[in-house]
Amino acid sequence: MPLSSVPHAKILLVEDERLLGKSIQRYLSEHHQCEWFESVEAAIGFLRNESVDIIVSDIKLPGKSGLDLLHWVLEYQPQTPIILITAHSSIPDAVKAIREGAADYLSKPLDLATLELSVARVLRNTRLQQEVRYHRQQARQIGEGAEPFALTSSAYAEIEARVQRLLSIENQSGEAPSILITGETGTGKGVLARRIHQQSPRSAEPFIEINSTAIPETMVESELFGHEKGAFTGAVSQRAGLFELANGGTIFLDEIGHIPLGLQAKLLKVIEDKRIRRIGGGRETELDVRIIAATNIDLAQAVREGTFREDLYHRLALIHLHLPPLRGMAEEIPALAQEFLREALRKYAMPHDSNQLHLSVDNERMLKQHSWPGNIRELKNEVERSVLFHGLDQLSFTHLQHLQTPSAPMPLAASSSSKGPLFQLPEDGLALLEVEPRILAQALQQTSGDPDAAARLLHMTEKEFEFRLQRHHFDWTQAPGWEHPIPEDGVDLTLLEQNLLKQALEQTRHNVTGAARLLNLSRDQMRYRLEKHGLDS
């Protein structure tokens, strides 16, 4: 793995032999930035103000030794790997250093080709470790969000042809033009982004995803570009940004339309210059990264309204791929549902014969009639939900007939009382987490405690009703019900929550923080529910 195949890195060299130091610096500087110092003291002084990707140091040095430098790095910059150079007589020291945390050691007389291979290998391993840490952190924060759906249906034939053409050009030229993927929430934009990366020459390199709406506006710049220690209040250590972690691979900017206008200019400069500078840093790092952006909003309209930069839009939309909504592919839905059914059965270890796995005619009809506002993600969730509550033998989607379809209005909006819509969000808001137990109690009170009748009133199975009831641990005979009786045609709790979320967003002009406050939710709770219902924020 020659250095030319490794993304540009900043290397710190510590070597007191001038001839050897100049030789190493000249060699490494062919593809990287190499800073050379002749003592550990000078190197530490540099590291107090600057960050590097890797350190190469002799062990035997005047004053402090390479082992002293290793101990300092392990304490103050543990994320920085260090390679030690040793004379034959000090090999025991090198072995000790490896045990204490050095990435590698090389013996003198030094072969520059061997040094090149060692630096490349350590850089590669370090970047993989950074990517693993990043994905573990993401998994802890937002859970596994990957959709299993592979874009192979006939409706995607044109998109697939363009993707393959794009990949062919990249294989021939090595260039990776930016890509903009648009489509409604749940259409598989993230899946397509991963598919492009996995089929490209960059597939062995990192794929880093960032959702612009999941990060506070004040932290987006730091997440993208990184920061140096002390760059701002709370920056207690230096941190590589996601662009650096993605170097050599792909960065996926999801919900690009929500990036603050002030930050869009900096993003445009990074795309054009292919260089990045950490917040508080004085040096730029060269980038070789494919940028894929995605959004469910009309960026052209956002440009006209002045909320999105026109030059950035044209830069990102060099290749524009638009994913169609699921409601326009009714004939494809049964095959997709069957694939999601197989996955759900495997996920929950339910016995089944894959060769005999088919949806009933009634189930296929109900799935095809539904409008699927949440698109593929909603279909996947509905299939999994039915598997959990019904099992394979009694798989049912009858509850879908009560949800919104192209020909049926939303039942919540139609229900009314003398005081206005039955489920109108009050101007001063309400506690959303209290809505479900109150509706459950109301349903039981209206049906004299009959769980089967109450379940039918809420458009769910008795099993699901009991599950929800047990989750809240309350005595329905003493619990407060809803302000008004539930209408005879019932109400769907999922649609009710979605309706209240929409009302909160409309009342606050789509200010997520304000809408969360109106529903007595934390920002994270609000974000989770918006994602769950496929609502634009």
Side-chain angles (χ1 to χ4, degrees):
M1 184 190 300
L3 281 179
S4 59
S5 66
V6 177
H8 181 88
K10 189 193 302 185
I11 303 172
L12 175 65
L13 171 65
V14 189
E15 174 57 64
D16 64 323
E17 295 183 28
R18 291 204 166 191
L19 186 61
L20 179 58
K22 287 182 179 180
S23 178
I24 295 175
Q25 185 186 39
R26 187 182 306 112
Y27 187 81
L28 295 178
S29 295
E30 290 181 6
H31 301 290
H32 298 274
Q33 176 187 336
C34 182
E35 301 290 343
W36 171 36
F37 296 94
E38 297 182 25
S39 69
V40 169
E41 290 82 358
I44 289 177
F46 176 81
L47 289 171
R48 290 186 188 279
N49 301 304
E50 297 283 347
S51 61
V52 297
D53 297 302
I54 188 171
I55 299 170
V56 179
S57 175
D58 199 345
I59 287 184
K60 300 296 184 181
L61 294 163
K64 292 185 178 181
S65 69
L67 292 177
D68 293 323
L69 178 59
L70 170 65
H71 296 152
W72 186 91
V73 168
L74 290 175
E75 182 174 357
Y76 295 103
Q77 295 186 12
Q79 76 281 4
T80 306
I82 181 169
I83 297 174
L84 294 175
I85 303 173
T86 176
H88 181 73
S89 60
S90 61
I91 285 182
D93 287 339
V95 173
K96 178 184 176 183
I98 291 292
R99 289 174 178 168
E100 292 183 1
D104 198 3
Y105 80 90
L106 301 172
S107 299
K108 291 181 178 179
L110 188 64
D111 178 69
L112 293 180
T114 303
L115 173 62
E116 176 184 23
L117 290 173
S118 178
V119 170
R121 183 177 65 253
V122 171
L123 284 172
R124 167 80 173 152
N125 290 342
T126 301
R127 292 180 68 245
L128 288 175
Q129 290 168 8
Q130 290 175 334
E131 184 183 1
V132 168
R133 285 196 296 270
Y134 167 77
H135 283 298
R136 283 177 177 171
Q137 181 184 17
Q138 289 294 96
R140 286 194 299 269
Q141 291 176 350
I142 61 175
E144 293 297 334
E147 297 278 356
F149 174 60
L151 303 177
T152 55
S153 79
S154 59
Y156 289 88
E158 182 179 349
I159 294 174
E160 194 65 23
R162 297 184 67 186
V163 168
Q164 294 307 316
R165 170 65 176 164
L166 177 66
L167 295 174
S168 176
I169 291 173
E170 184 181 1
N171 278 312
Q172 294 171 10
S173 67
E175 292 295 320
S178 56
I179 300 170
L180 177 64
I181 304 175
T182 59
E184 296 178 8
T185 298
T187 50
K189 297 184 290 294
V191 179
L192 181 57
R194 292 183 187 89
R195 183 184 178 95
I196 292 171
H197 173 76
Q198 291 165 1
Q199 293 186 355
S200 76
R202 300 169 181 264
S203 59
E205 302 299 332
F207 177 89
I208 302 295
E209 177 178 353
I210 177 172
N211 187 313
S212 306
T213 63
I215 301 173
E217 287 189 11
T218 55
M219 295 301 296
V220 175
E221 183 176 3
S222 174
E223 286 289 323
L224 287 175
F225 306 139
H227 61 257
E228 298 292 350
K229 181 179 179 181
F232 51 83
T233 303
V236 296
S237 63
Q238 49 190 220
R239 179 180 181 183
L242 298 183
F243 267 100
E244 286 185 68
L245 294 181
N247 210 357
T250 300
I251 187 166
F252 176 45
L253 304 174
D254 198 8
E255 303 293 356
I256 187 70
H258 295 276
I259 285 187
L261 193 59
L263 190 57
Q264 292 176 23
K266 296 182 179 180
L267 180 58
L268 176 65
K269 183 173 176 58
V270 169
I271 296 173
E272 292 180 336
D273 297 348
K274 296 184 178 179
R275 290 176 176 271
I276 197 168
R277 179 184 297 172
R278 292 180 183 175
I279 300 174
R283 297 179 182 274
E284 292 186 330
T285 300
E286 290 185 7
L287 287 178
D288 173 25
V289 61
R290 177 205 293 283
I291 297 174
I292 302 179
T295 183
N296 56 14
I297 69 174
D298 185 347
L299 284 187
Q301 179 64 28
V303 168
R304 290 190 291 271
E305 294 174 351
T307 59
F308 200 84
R309 291 179 63 103
E310 184 175 8
D311 46 7
L312 178 59
Y313 169 67
H314 290 302
R315 267 290 181 179
L316 292 173
L318 187 60
I319 305 294
H320 184 189
L321 304 175
H322 181 74
L323 296 178
L326 187 59
R327 60 182 172 274
M329 303 185 295
E331 297 305 316
E332 307 285 350
I333 290 175
L336 296 178
Q338 194 154 305
E339 180 57 37
F340 290 139
L341 177 58
R342 289 192 184 94
E343 182 185 333
L345 293 172
R346 287 194 300 267
K347 179 178 179 179
Y348 297 106
M350 294 183 178
H352 66 283
D353 183 351
S354 297
N355 296 323
Q356 301 297 321
L357 195 61
H358 299 289
L359 295 170
S360 69
V361 174
D362 284 343
N363 279 332
E364 284 195 7
R365 176 179 54 79
M366 291 174 188
L367 290 174
K368 290 164 71 173
Q369 287 179 347
H370 185 51
S371 61
W372 300 111
N375 293 293
I376 295 170
R377 184 182 299 136
E378 182 186 1
L379 174 62
K380 174 180 177 292
N381 290 340
E382 284 296 342
V383 171
E384 188 169 332
R385 176 186 180 186
S386 291
V387 167
L388 285 172
F389 287 112
H390 301 285
L392 181 59
D393 294 337
Q394 296 181 324
L395 195 67
S396 172
F397 297 99
T398 54
H399 64 283
L400 291 177
Q401 62 186 303
H402 302 293
L403 302 182
Q404 183 184 13
T405 64
S407 57
M410 291 174 59
L412 294 182
S415 301
S416 61
S417 71
S418 59
K419 296 183 179 180
L422 178 59
F423 297 105
Q424 181 71 38
L425 181 66
E427 289 185 6
D428 57 349
L430 53 73
L432 185 64
L433 298 182
E434 296 178 6
V435 170
E436 180 173 303
R438 291 180 62 188
I439 293 292
L440 293 174
Q442 182 67 36
L444 285 168
Q445 291 165 12
Q446 283 184 220
T447 57
S448 302
D450 183 349
D452 186 45
R456 288 197 303 272
L457 192 62
L458 299 182
H459 304 166
M460 62 180 68
T461 64
E462 186 175 356
K463 187 175 181 180
E464 181 180 354
F465 182 84
E466 291 175 355
F467 171 80
R468 290 178 183 255
L469 204 60
Q470 292 170 5
R471 183 169 63 184
H472 294 289
H473 303 288
F474 70 93
D475 181 358
W476 66 267
T477 61
Q478 303 296 324
W482 198 246
E483 287 88 346
H484 309 285
I486 299 172
E488 291 183 4
D489 58 350
V491 63
D492 181 274
L493 280 172
T494 300
L495 190 56
L496 171 57
E497 182 177 80
Q498 183 184 80
N499 190 28
L500 291 171
L501 288 166
K502 287 180 177 179
Q503 291 183 58
L505 287 170
E506 289 170 0
Q507 288 189 27
T508 58
R509 297 184 178 181
H510 286 257
N511 181 297
V512 175
T513 301
R517 192 178 300 116
L518 202 58
L519 296 173
N520 199 26
L521 296 174
S522 70
R523 186 180 175 90
D524 288 341
Q525 289 173 327
M526 185 69 177
R527 291 288 185 196
Y528 167 76
R529 281 163 177 78
L530 292 178
E531 179 71 17
K532 170 186 170 184
H533 292 285
L535 295 176
D536 299 342
S537 58

